[in-house]
Amino acid sequence: MRPSGRQPDQPREVTLTRGFTRHAEGSVLVSFGDTQVLCNASVEAGVPRWLRGKNQGWVTAEYGMLPRATHTRGGREAARGKQGGRTLEIQRLIGRSLRAAVDLKKLGEFTITVDCDVLQADGGTRTASITGACVALIEALQYMQRKKMIKTDPFRQLVSSISVGVYKGTPVLDLDYPEDSAADTDMNVVMTEDGKLIEVQGTAEAEAFSRAELNNMLDLAESGCQALFAKQHEALGIRR
Amino acid sequence: MRPSGRQPDQPREVTLTRGFTRHAEGSVLVSFGDTQVLCNASVEAGVPRWLRGKNQGWVTAEYGMLPRATHTRGGREAARGKQGGRTLEIQRLIGRSLRAAVDLKKLGEFTITVDCDVLQADGGTRTASITGACVALIEALQYMQRKKMIKTDPFRQLVSSISVGVYKGTPVLDLDYPEDSAADTDMNVVMTEDGKLIEVQGTAEAEAFSRAELNNMLDLAESGCQALFAKQHEALGIRR
Amino acid sequence: MRPSGRQPDQPREVTLTRGFTRHAEGSVLVSFGDTQVLCNASVEAGVPRWLRGKNQGWVTAEYGMLPRATHTRGGREAARGKQGGRTLEIQRLIGRSLRAAVDLKKLGEFTITVDCDVLQADGGTRTASITGACVALIEALQYMQRKKMIKTDPFRQLVSSISVGVYKGTPVLDLDYPEDSAADTDMNVVMTEDGKLIEVQGTAEAEAFSRAELNNMLDLAESGCQALFAKQHEALGIRR
Amino acid sequence: MRPSGRQPDQPREVTLTRGFTRHAEGSVLVSFGDTQVLCNASVEAGVPRWLRGKNQGWVTAEYGMLPRATHTRGGREAARGKQGGRTLEIQRLIGRSLRAAVDLKKLGEFTITVDCDVLQADGGTRTASITGACVALIEALQYMQRKKMIKTDPFRQLVSSISVGVYKGTPVLDLDYPEDSAADTDMNVVMTEDGKLIEVQGTAEAEAFSRAELNNMLDLAESGCQALFAKQHEALGIRR
Amino acid sequence: MRPSGRQPDQPREVTLTRGFTRHAEGSVLVSFGDTQVLCNASVEAGVPRWLRGKNQGWVTAEYGMLPRATHTRGGREAARGKQGGRTLEIQRLIGRSLRAAVDLKKLGEFTITVDCDVLQADGGTRTASITGACVALIEALQYMQRKKMIKTDPFRQLVSSISVGVYKGTPVLDLDYPEDSAADTDMNVVMTEDGKLIEVQGTAEAEAFSRAELNNMLDLAESGCQALFAKQHEALGIRR
Amino acid sequence: MRPSGRQPDQPREVTLTRGFTRHAEGSVLVSFGDTQVLCNASVEAGVPRWLRGKNQGWVTAEYGMLPRATHTRGGREAARGKQGGRTLEIQRLIGRSLRAAVDLKKLGEFTITVDCDVLQADGGTRTASITGACVALIEALQYMQRKKMIKTDPFRQLVSSISVGVYKGTPVLDLDYPEDSAADTDMNVVMTEDGKLIEVQGTAEAEAFSRAELNNMLDLAESGCQALFAKQHEALGIRR
């Protein structure tokens, strides 16, 4: 029934490739099927002006899509002279999600910026970004500990994210582009390992959805996120 | 327990003042307590380029905040030369919500833009905007019918919106600014009259939230939206 | 003869509603007939860079028009990414006029910004803005004295402003939009209570005007400003 | 008493050099003392969108200042990414003034843009611009007649412009920079040959001015503009 | 002597990976050592406005660098709101170079845009971009032929590009970042297979260079480009 | 054969008029035939942020073209809101070339900005700019010495620049606009008095060029630059 032939509760193949580029303190190429996002975490001394002197750090994200990541070429935001509303909305979501993974008080006056640049898009770029960026962020924290920039580990908990939706009346997990563009409802969920919620963003694209459908979708998301946590642990080499 | 002395399930006083300005085809001043938003709906011939020739109309929204709507003065976005991420995110949400209220096929090649300008802010500006903008939109549809611009009524269903959150561990309805800035979780819900969901946007500001808390919040939102539908009906003079 | 049926020397109904919003240190809704402008004065510590260390304060203004303040919707300047020439010209005029009302030396290193946002436009938005903003400015100065932010009163003199023009060959006072768009000459005058001039900006829209016509217009403006000073005193509760 | 040693009613030396550059349809270098402005008039087919099909032409102006036209270097507006309020205000004034010189109905669907670029500034750049631009505009109209682009002459009347002010209590004509920056009042006047007014823009920089002072300044401006008309006629080789 | 231990005439390892992404009509990941650039060619119907109706096509390029492609994070141009001078200069160079590879007359009214996005930078990003973009461009031309969008092959000749410089007094080929930032002279050369020049851009960073040094550098560039042509042929599977 | 009737190795008439404007520390009007560029050097205390505390100065350039410097009017970059790629590319070239003329270590913490504004264009604006700007720069250095702002003379060597190209198969010197727009190859060369190269930027506009053609062009450029050095010496009154 799904264009890809997947079962409703079947996510796409996920890979998390560490060390994809050399310069960043954390660098992960994440793929959710044909969606590929390069997540580079950069550590910089200092915090934004409004945080100065508060004895804490900051974690933020920027998001971009290469012009031909998509089926037809999209304009380059740098050439147009501004980031679109969708871009700003996504990078705010990624930043909030990552801050749930870290104790900013233990980070010291450093800023970690995770750049999520979509090399190839096939639906779910924001959920792939959060999932990959979390690993790049942890790599950067490990770098800071090795370099003695911080004394205690600011890591609090893994976060991962996956999309769910109602496609032709059936709740499905991890929508690809053909599903995403035809779904009745599209929801992005960000979770912690103990099954709690960091973000829930559900949108009725065509038909309003019921509380029952919402619950079905959240059940799917929970199982999907658990699989992503396993992938993150594997990539990080942390015994679960 | 709440700073305002309200009960957890008690919304603020809501007013919907029609005809607040003269020129717009629909004009509503909505207040949720001290939050006041002027919602003006404008009807214009034509649709955006990507919809031309598809024999349908378009409904969109723009959102702004007067510089001194807030406790301390914020910079004027026109002077800064761009709309911020928060502004773009909110106006996209309002636009999507309003499109759920209308059958675009019946609208003809017209665009209705609802400008939501916050005159005074005390939390919940996006939920007040959606609730008031829906009434202004219906006024504009009624204007189009009176002027014979359309033959059939494109109105599908009312939408209303309210915020819920977890404040000091308790789920509460319709957060004002002091609650909003201290809440563990903040969620905006957009609903239809039959209790279905158009949008759910929940964010863990401090602590992740459980499925149980989510359900409690959605119960509160449902009762809050029902009260708003009553207010909308009253303002529109539609017998329920 | 005038579209509104007014006599040539008859201004529109003027109201000055204090305390229109809660957060600003001075807040006045001014109406000249159907023209309505919200004037919010904000007090902030500090002065612009080029005034630092000169032991004086600064008074400035910003002007904006809600997109549907006008008969047909105008684009939102924040969305277009810049303020238009007309906007910049008007806010410079308001700022200069307000500075004539205040002794900046007595203001200390504070900046008062008066935001003039047009909720509804029917001609004369800049003259209404100046007249209302002057009252909001004085409210802000009173606030500063109550809060002991300043020791002496920086208030020097009231300023008010009204438009005059030549409409179908006759000098008329306080043009509304139908007159303004058809007038041969349009002039904005800013005055002090003793009948002196702060600004005179006269433009021949169609036919050049003579010195005699200029003098007739200035006579009208003087009577109009005197009526506005009475309104300002009444609003401020100052015995004249 | 004046820094330059001039009499109160004595303007600066004025020159109008035609044909200063080769490509423009009209090109005049105007100098008012040390103020030098290059005025280039360009004829282009077509009119702005809002005038299309109305069977008339358009005349407009753009104004700029070379970064080091002034005593200390000012930032380049192109590098800053926007034109300042002062620039926009001045170019709107020049454009309105030039439109008084021409019957747009006789111009056909052509646009004449007069670029006024200040090579060196010493006060009075806007008045010099208007005076020189008027000559460049007439050159361009003559070009159009020679090229048979128009059949009848759209020229209506010369316009010229000069500044007046109150400097140390005395009304003076044609202020240079040292006077301008210290004047109590500064007024720019645009006139027609028969002594009528196109624009009057007077600003009390320090002290409000009386109707009597206004009249003295206008008398001075009238004599100054008459001298400028003589210069314009001389430059154009038109017998007066 | 070279930081990398390479011989003066020894280029870095070069790879050209075709089909790196799925959506683009041509997609090549090019690496010159640690410099990695993703070159995606997009075919779109239509040409820029100034070419319409001239019965020819257009080839252009855009260039960007991911924020953390470099040793320290650079600001995102989309967030800053404009492309820097270096970016614009490079993308103009790439575009000109690619147009030398194609007969625009045979391309029909199509535009091919090659996006060159630097994933990782270590010197020579513009030369790698040109070399990889040429292969992506040819892939796109092959796609157009398969899809019968064009009848004849617009391909004229391969172009490749390499940098040369004077490092510590010695002419060297294909500078990496440590060499580039310390070189006396830096020159980028774009060549055709028959050894002719498309572009020569040499800059004395520290000391002026002599004609003899220029000739030595050009000799090196010629040998370097020949090696690149071999790599391009190999990637394209064209028998040489 | 050349449109102007010049011999292949014959440059245009060159003039360097010092003191063209009054305020700048160095001011030169340079003309290469009908190309006229005003070069104003401004001395300002301080250096860009990234040079602070390094005990050296900075020399930079900005370039602009008056809208009607060209045959048809070009848009004003300040009005468009950004400098084009060509402008940025040229001003980077001028800046690099000027820095070769000066020992920045001896300049102290001062910045010299040379504004090159094209009053009239007929090809070769960048080469005329460099040649004229070098003289304005030296004037500014002389000013600094007279004012005791620096103790030792930072001047290292003159730089001059000229264009060469292949026009209808023949190498020619100093292309004017008709040649430039029809040339096969266009090359800009910046040289020092001892015949060394600062910049070489050659572009094949139509046909690739051979090493032999490159050498012929460089020979021409060398003779052209020598003539320019003589003009610079003459303008500066330096005995050669």
Side-chain angles (χ1 to χ4, degrees):
Chain A
M1 183 214 66
R2 301 180 73 173
S4 59
R6 283 186 279 146
Q7 294 301 310
D9 64 349
Q10 187 184 348
R12 292 177 284 183
E13 180 81 8
V14 169
T15 64
L16 290 160
T17 308
R18 289 176 64 184
F20 190 75
T21 64
R22 298 173 55 108
H23 302 311
E25 284 74 38
S27 178
V28 171
L29 183 76
V30 57
S31 67
F32 278 30
D34 280 338
T35 290
Q36 295 187 322
V37 186
L38 176 52
C39 307
N40 280 338
S42 298
V43 177
E44 291 167 300
V47 288
R49 180 184 302 269
W50 48 274
L51 272 184
R52 280 185 204 153
K54 299 205 172 162
N55 202 25
Q56 68 160 94
W58 187 239
V59 172
T60 187
E62 293 196 4
Y63 172 92
M65 213 187 252
L66 295 195
R68 195 55 195 281
T70 44
H71 286 75
T72 56
R73 185 175 186 272
R76 188 176 286 268
E77 289 188 323
R80 267 191 266 140
K82 62 176 175 181
Q83 295 177 292
R86 182 184 167 279
T87 295
L88 293 170
E89 191 175 310
I90 292 175
Q91 71 188 18
R92 285 158 56 90
L93 169 64
I94 302 171
R96 282 197 308 271
S97 299
L98 295 179
R99 287 191 288 278
V102 175
D103 183 343
L104 297 173
K105 286 289 177 198
K106 293 188 183 164
L107 189 54
E109 292 221 338
F110 288 96
T111 295
I112 301 180
T113 303
V114 187
D115 288 287
C116 297
D117 285 277
V118 180
L119 304 188
Q120 189 173 276
D122 186 36
T125 63
R126 76 190 75 187
T127 55
S129 293
I130 292 167
T131 304
C134 181
V135 176
L137 172 63
I138 293 168
E139 282 189 334
L141 295 177
Q142 291 171 346
Y143 168 90
M144 291 176 80
Q145 289 174 280
R146 282 199 308 277
K147 295 287 176 184
K148 313 287 185 207
M149 297 162 88
I150 43 178
K151 285 173 204 155
T152 54
D153 187 354
F155 176 63
R156 291 176 63 212
Q157 60 191 340
L158 283 176
V159 296
S160 71
S161 177
I162 202 154
S163 74
V164 281
V166 178
Y167 175 72
K168 300 196 175 175
T170 302
V172 294
L173 179 66
D174 190 22
L175 289 71
D176 55 25
Y177 180 76
E179 289 171 329
D180 192 25
S181 51
D184 296 326
T185 297
D186 178 25
M187 186 157 76
N188 295 293
V189 180
V190 185
M191 280 195 170
T192 59
E193 280 189 89
D194 57 2
K196 288 197 165 178
L197 296 154
I198 299 292
E199 287 272 343
V200 175
Q201 296 199 342
T203 298
E205 302 283 351
E207 289 302 314
F209 53 102
S210 66
R211 291 282 293 276
E213 284 170 314
L214 174 67
N215 280 317
N216 287 342
M217 288 190 284
L218 289 170
D219 290 343
L220 281 178
E222 196 166 335
S223 79
C225 284
Q226 289 305 332
L228 292 172
F229 289 125
K231 287 284 182 184
Q232 288 176 322
H233 279 289
E234 189 183 294
L236 287 162
I238 299 173
R239 198 177 307 270
R240 208 175 181 182
Chain B
M1 179 217 66
R2 301 180 72 174
S4 60
R6 283 186 280 147
Q7 294 301 311
D9 64 351
Q10 187 184 349
R12 291 177 286 182
E13 180 79 10
V14 169
T15 64
L16 289 159
T17 307
R18 290 176 62 184
F20 190 75
T21 66
R22 296 175 58 108
H23 302 311
E25 285 73 40
S27 179
V28 170
L29 182 77
V30 58
S31 67
F32 277 31
D34 279 337
T35 290
Q36 297 188 322
V37 186
L38 176 52
C39 305
N40 281 338
S42 298
V43 176
E44 290 167 299
V47 288
R49 179 183 303 269
W50 49 274
L51 273 184
R52 280 184 204 154
K54 300 208 171 160
N55 201 26
Q56 69 160 94
W58 188 240
V59 172
T60 187
E62 293 195 5
Y63 172 92
M65 213 188 251
L66 295 195
R68 195 54 196 279
T70 42
H71 286 76
T72 56
R73 186 175 185 272
R76 186 176 288 268
E77 289 187 326
R80 266 190 266 139
K82 64 175 176 182
Q83 296 177 292
R86 182 184 167 279
T87 294
L88 293 170
E89 189 175 312
I90 292 175
Q91 70 188 19
R92 284 159 57 91
L93 170 65
I94 302 171
R96 283 197 309 269
S97 300
L98 295 179
R99 286 190 289 277
V102 175
D103 183 341
L104 296 173
K105 286 289 176 198
K106 294 188 181 164
L107 188 56
E109 290 221 339
F110 287 96
T111 295
I112 302 180
T113 304
V114 188
D115 288 288
C116 298
D117 285 277
V118 180
L119 305 187
Q120 190 172 276
D122 186 36
T125 64
R126 76 189 74 187
T127 56
S129 293
I130 292 167
T131 304
C134 182
V135 175
L137 172 62
I138 292 169
E139 282 189 333
L141 294 176
Q142 291 171 346
Y143 168 91
M144 292 176 80
Q145 288 174 280
R146 282 197 311 276
K147 294 288 177 184
K148 313 289 185 206
M149 297 162 87
I150 45 178
K151 287 173 200 155
T152 53
D153 188 354
F155 176 62
R156 291 176 65 211
Q157 61 191 341
L158 285 175
V159 295
S160 71
S161 178
I162 202 154
S163 73
V164 281
V166 178
Y167 175 73
K168 299 196 176 175
T170 304
V172 295
L173 179 66
D174 189 23
L175 289 72
D176 55 25
Y177 181 76
E179 288 170 331
D180 192 25
S181 50
D184 294 326
T185 297
D186 177 26
M187 185 157 76
N188 296 292
V189 180
V190 185
M191 280 194 169
T192 60
E193 280 189 87
D194 58 2
K196 287 198 165 177
L197 296 154
I198 299 293
E199 288 270 345
V200 174
Q201 295 199 342
T203 298
E205 302 283 353
E207 288 303 314
F209 53 102
S210 65
R211 291 282 293 276
E213 283 169 316
L214 175 66
N215 280 317
N216 287 342
M217 288 190 282
L218 288 169
D219 290 342
L220 281 179
E222 195 167 337
S223 79
C225 283
Q226 288 306 332
L228 292 172
F229 290 125
K231 288 284 182 182
Q232 289 176 321
H233 279 289
E234 188 183 295
L236 287 162
I238 298 172
R239 197 177 307 268
R240 213 180 177 179
Chain C
M1 180 216 65
R2 300 180 73 172
S4 60
R6 283 186 279 146
Q7 295 301 311
D9 64 349
Q10 187 184 348
R12 290 177 286 181
E13 180 81 9
V14 169
T15 63
L16 290 160
T17 308
R18 291 175 61 181
F20 190 75
T21 64
R22 297 174 56 110
H23 302 311
E25 284 74 40
S27 178
V28 171
L29 183 77
V30 58
S31 67
F32 278 31
D34 278 338
T35 290
Q36 296 188 323
V37 187
L38 176 51
C39 306
N40 281 338
S42 298
V43 177
E44 291 167 298
V47 288
R49 180 183 301 269
W50 48 274
L51 272 183
R52 279 183 205 155
K54 299 208 171 160
N55 202 25
Q56 67 159 95
W58 187 241
V59 172
T60 186
E62 293 195 4
Y63 172 93
M65 213 187 254
L66 296 195
R68 196 54 197 280
T70 44
H71 287 75
T72 57
R73 186 174 185 272
R76 188 176 287 268
E77 290 187 324
R80 265 191 267 139
K82 64 176 176 181
Q83 296 177 292
R86 181 183 168 278
T87 295
L88 293 170
E89 189 175 312
I90 291 175
Q91 71 188 19
R92 285 157 56 90
L93 169 65
I94 302 170
R96 284 197 308 271
S97 299
L98 295 180
R99 286 191 288 277
V102 174
D103 183 341
L104 297 173
K105 286 287 178 200
K106 292 187 183 165
L107 189 54
E109 291 221 338
F110 288 96
T111 295
I112 302 179
T113 304
V114 188
D115 288 287
C116 297
D117 285 277
V118 180
L119 304 188
Q120 189 173 276
D122 186 37
T125 65
R126 76 189 75 188
T127 55
S129 292
I130 292 166
T131 305
C134 182
V135 176
L137 172 63
I138 293 169
E139 282 189 334
L141 295 177
Q142 291 170 347
Y143 168 91
M144 292 176 79
Q145 290 174 280
R146 282 198 310 276
K147 295 287 177 183
K148 313 288 186 207
M149 297 162 88
I150 44 178
K151 287 174 199 155
T152 55
D153 188 354
F155 176 62
R156 290 176 64 212
Q157 60 191 341
L158 284 176
V159 296
S160 71
S161 177
I162 202 153
S163 73
V164 283
V166 178
Y167 176 73
K168 299 196 175 177
T170 304
V172 294
L173 180 65
D174 190 22
L175 288 73
D176 54 27
Y177 179 76
E179 290 171 330
D180 191 24
S181 50
D184 296 325
T185 297
D186 178 25
M187 187 156 76
N188 295 293
V189 180
V190 185
M191 281 195 169
T192 59
E193 278 189 269
D194 57 3
K196 287 198 164 178
L197 296 154
I198 298 293
E199 287 272 344
V200 175
Q201 295 199 342
T203 298
E205 301 283 352
E207 289 301 314
F209 52 102
S210 65
R211 290 281 294 274
E213 283 170 316
L214 175 66
N215 279 317
N216 287 341
M217 288 190 283
L218 288 170
D219 290 344
L220 281 178
E222 194 165 337
S223 80
C225 283
Q226 289 305 331
L228 292 172
F229 289 125
K231 287 284 183 182
Q232 289 175 322
H233 279 290
E234 191 184 295
L236 287 163
I238 298 173
R239 196 177 307 269
R240 209 175 178 181
Chain D
M1 180 217 65
R2 301 179 73 172
S4 60
R6 283 187 280 146
Q7 294 302 311
D9 63 350
Q10 188 184 348
R12 291 176 286 182
E13 180 80 9
V14 169
T15 64
L16 290 159
T17 307
R18 289 176 62 184
F20 190 76
T21 65
R22 296 174 56 110
H23 302 311
E25 284 75 40
S27 178
V28 171
L29 182 77
V30 56
S31 67
F32 278 31
D34 278 339
T35 290
Q36 296 188 322
V37 186
L38 176 52
C39 305
N40 280 338
S42 298
V43 176
E44 290 167 301
V47 288
R49 180 183 301 270
W50 49 273
L51 272 184
R52 280 184 205 155
K54 299 207 171 161
N55 202 26
Q56 68 159 92
W58 187 241
V59 173
T60 187
E62 293 195 4
Y63 171 92
M65 214 187 251
L66 295 195
R68 196 54 198 279
T70 42
H71 287 76
T72 56
R73 187 174 185 271
R76 186 176 289 266
E77 289 188 324
R80 265 189 269 139
K82 64 176 177 181
Q83 296 177 292
R86 181 184 169 278
T87 294
L88 293 170
E89 190 175 311
I90 292 175
Q91 71 188 20
R92 285 159 55 91
L93 169 65
I94 302 171
R96 283 198 309 270
S97 300
L98 294 179
R99 285 190 289 278
V102 175
D103 183 341
L104 296 174
K105 286 287 177 199
K106 294 187 183 165
L107 188 56
E109 291 222 339
F110 287 97
T111 295
I112 302 180
T113 304
V114 188
D115 288 288
C116 297
D117 285 278
V118 180
L119 304 187
Q120 189 173 276
D122 186 36
T125 65
R126 77 189 76 187
T127 56
S129 293
I130 292 167
T131 304
C134 182
V135 176
L137 172 63
I138 292 168
E139 282 188 334
L141 295 176
Q142 291 171 347
Y143 168 90
M144 291 176 80
Q145 289 174 280
R146 283 198 311 276
K147 294 287 178 185
K148 312 290 186 203
M149 298 162 87
I150 45 177
K151 286 172 200 157
T152 54
D153 187 354
F155 177 61
R156 291 176 66 211
Q157 61 191 341
L158 284 176
V159 296
S160 70
S161 178
I162 202 154
S163 73
V164 281
V166 177
Y167 175 73
K168 298 196 175 174
T170 303
V172 295
L173 180 66
D174 189 24
L175 288 72
D176 55 25
Y177 180 76
E179 289 170 331
D180 193 25
S181 50
D184 295 327
T185 297
D186 178 25
M187 186 156 77
N188 295 293
V189 180
V190 184
M191 280 195 170
T192 60
E193 279 190 89
D194 58 2
K196 288 198 164 177
L197 296 154
I198 298 294
E199 287 271 346
V200 174
Q201 295 199 343
T203 298
E205 302 283 351
E207 287 303 313
F209 54 101
S210 65
R211 291 281 294 274
E213 283 170 316
L214 175 66
N215 279 317
N216 287 342
M217 288 190 283
L218 288 170
D219 290 343
L220 280 178
E222 195 166 337
S223 79
C225 283
Q226 288 306 332
L228 291 172
F229 289 125
K231 287 285 184 183
Q232 288 175 323
H233 278 289
E234 190 183 295
L236 286 162
I238 298 173
R239 197 176 307 270
R240 209 175 179 179
Chain E
M1 180 217 69
R2 299 180 73 174
S4 59
R6 283 187 279 146
Q7 294 301 312
D9 63 350
Q10 187 184 350
R12 291 176 286 181
E13 180 80 10
V14 169
T15 65
L16 290 160
T17 307
R18 289 176 63 184
F20 190 75
T21 65
R22 298 174 55 108
H23 303 311
E25 284 75 39
S27 178
V28 171
L29 183 77
V30 58
S31 67
F32 278 29
D34 279 339
T35 290
Q36 296 188 324
V37 186
L38 176 52
C39 306
N40 281 338
S42 298
V43 177
E44 291 167 299
V47 288
R49 180 183 302 271
W50 48 273
L51 272 183
R52 282 186 202 151
K54 300 207 172 161
N55 202 25
Q56 69 159 94
W58 187 240
V59 173
T60 187
E62 293 195 3
Y63 172 91
M65 212 186 253
L66 295 196
R68 195 55 198 279
T70 42
H71 286 75
T72 56
R73 187 175 184 271
R76 188 176 287 268
E77 290 187 323
R80 266 191 267 139
K82 64 176 175 181
Q83 294 177 292
R86 182 183 167 279
T87 294
L88 292 170
E89 190 175 311
I90 292 175
Q91 71 186 20
R92 284 158 57 91
L93 169 65
I94 301 170
R96 282 197 310 271
S97 300
L98 295 180
R99 286 190 289 277
V102 175
D103 183 342
L104 298 173
K105 286 289 177 198
K106 294 188 183 162
L107 189 55
E109 291 221 339
F110 288 96
T111 295
I112 302 180
T113 304
V114 188
D115 288 288
C116 298
D117 285 277
V118 180
L119 304 188
Q120 189 172 276
D122 186 36
T125 65
R126 78 189 74 188
T127 56
S129 293
I130 291 167
T131 303
C134 182
V135 175
L137 172 63
I138 292 168
E139 283 189 333
L141 295 177
Q142 291 171 347
Y143 168 91
M144 291 176 79
Q145 288 174 279
R146 283 197 309 276
K147 296 284 177 186
K148 312 288 186 206
M149 297 162 87
I150 45 178
K151 285 171 204 157
T152 54
D153 188 354
F155 176 62
R156 291 176 64 210
Q157 62 191 341
L158 284 175
V159 296
S160 70
S161 178
I162 202 154
S163 73
V164 280
V166 178
Y167 175 73
K168 299 197 176 173
T170 304
V172 294
L173 179 66
D174 189 24
L175 289 71
D176 55 25
Y177 180 76
E179 289 170 330
D180 192 25
S181 50
D184 294 327
T185 297
D186 177 25
M187 185 156 76
N188 295 294
V189 180
V190 185
M191 280 195 171
T192 60
E193 279 190 87
D194 58 2
K196 287 198 165 178
L197 296 154
I198 297 293
E199 287 271 344
V200 175
Q201 295 199 344
T203 298
E205 301 284 352
E207 287 303 313
F209 53 102
S210 66
R211 290 282 292 276
E213 284 170 314
L214 174 67
N215 279 318
N216 287 343
M217 287 191 282
L218 288 170
D219 290 344
L220 281 178
E222 197 167 336
S223 80
C225 283
Q226 289 306 332
L228 292 172
F229 290 125
K231 287 283 183 184
Q232 288 175 323
H233 279 288
E234 188 183 296
L236 287 162
I238 298 172
R239 199 176 307 268
R240 215 184 177 172
Chain F
M1 181 215 68
R2 300 180 73 173
S4 60
R6 283 187 279 146
Q7 295 301 311
D9 64 350
Q10 186 184 348
R12 291 176 286 181
E13 180 82 8
V14 169
T15 64
L16 290 159
T17 308
R18 290 175 61 184
F20 190 76
T21 64
R22 297 174 55 109
H23 302 312
E25 284 74 40
S27 178
V28 170
L29 183 76
V30 58
S31 68
F32 277 30
D34 279 338
T35 290
Q36 295 188 324
V37 187
L38 176 52
C39 306
N40 280 338
S42 298
V43 177
E44 290 167 299
V47 288
R49 179 183 302 270
W50 48 274
L51 272 184
R52 280 184 204 153
K54 299 207 173 162
N55 202 25
Q56 68 160 95
W58 187 241
V59 172
T60 187
E62 294 195 3
Y63 172 92
M65 212 187 255
L66 295 195
R68 194 55 197 280
T70 44
H71 287 75
T72 56
R73 186 174 185 271
R76 187 176 287 269
E77 290 188 323
R80 265 191 267 141
K82 64 176 175 181
Q83 294 178 293
R86 183 184 166 277
T87 294
L88 293 171
E89 190 175 312
I90 292 176
Q91 69 188 19
R92 285 159 54 91
L93 170 65
I94 301 170
R96 283 197 309 270
S97 300
L98 295 179
R99 286 191 288 277
V102 175
D103 183 342
L104 297 173
K105 286 288 177 199
K106 294 188 182 163
L107 188 55
E109 291 221 339
F110 287 96
T111 295
I112 301 180
T113 303
V114 187
D115 288 288
C116 297
D117 285 278
V118 179
L119 305 187
Q120 190 172 276
D122 186 35
T125 65
R126 76 190 75 187
T127 55
S129 293
I130 292 166
T131 305
C134 181
V135 176
L137 172 64
I138 293 169
E139 282 189 333
L141 294 177
Q142 291 171 346
Y143 167 92
M144 291 176 80
Q145 289 174 279
R146 282 197 309 278
K147 294 287 177 185
K148 312 288 187 207
M149 297 162 88
I150 44 178
K151 285 173 203 156
T152 54
D153 188 354
F155 176 62
R156 291 177 64 213
Q157 61 191 341
L158 283 176
V159 296
S160 71
S161 177
I162 202 153
S163 72
V164 282
V166 177
Y167 176 72
K168 299 196 175 175
T170 304
V172 295
L173 180 66
D174 190 22
L175 288 73
D176 55 26
Y177 179 77
E179 290 170 329
D180 191 25
S181 50
D184 295 327
T185 297
D186 178 24
M187 186 157 76
N188 295 292
V189 180
V190 185
M191 279 195 170
T192 59
E193 279 188 90
D194 58 2
K196 287 199 165 176
L197 296 153
I198 299 293
E199 288 271 344
V200 174
Q201 294 199 343
T203 298
E205 301 283 353
E207 289 302 314
F209 53 101
S210 65
R211 291 282 292 276
E213 284 170 315
L214 176 67
N215 279 317
N216 287 342
M217 288 190 282
L218 288 170
D219 290 343
L220 280 178
E222 194 166 338
S223 80
C225 283
Q226 289 305 331
L228 292 173
F229 290 126
K231 287 284 182 181
Q232 289 175 322
H233 279 290
E234 189 183 295
L236 287 163
I238 299 172
R239 198 175 308 269
R240 212 180 179 178

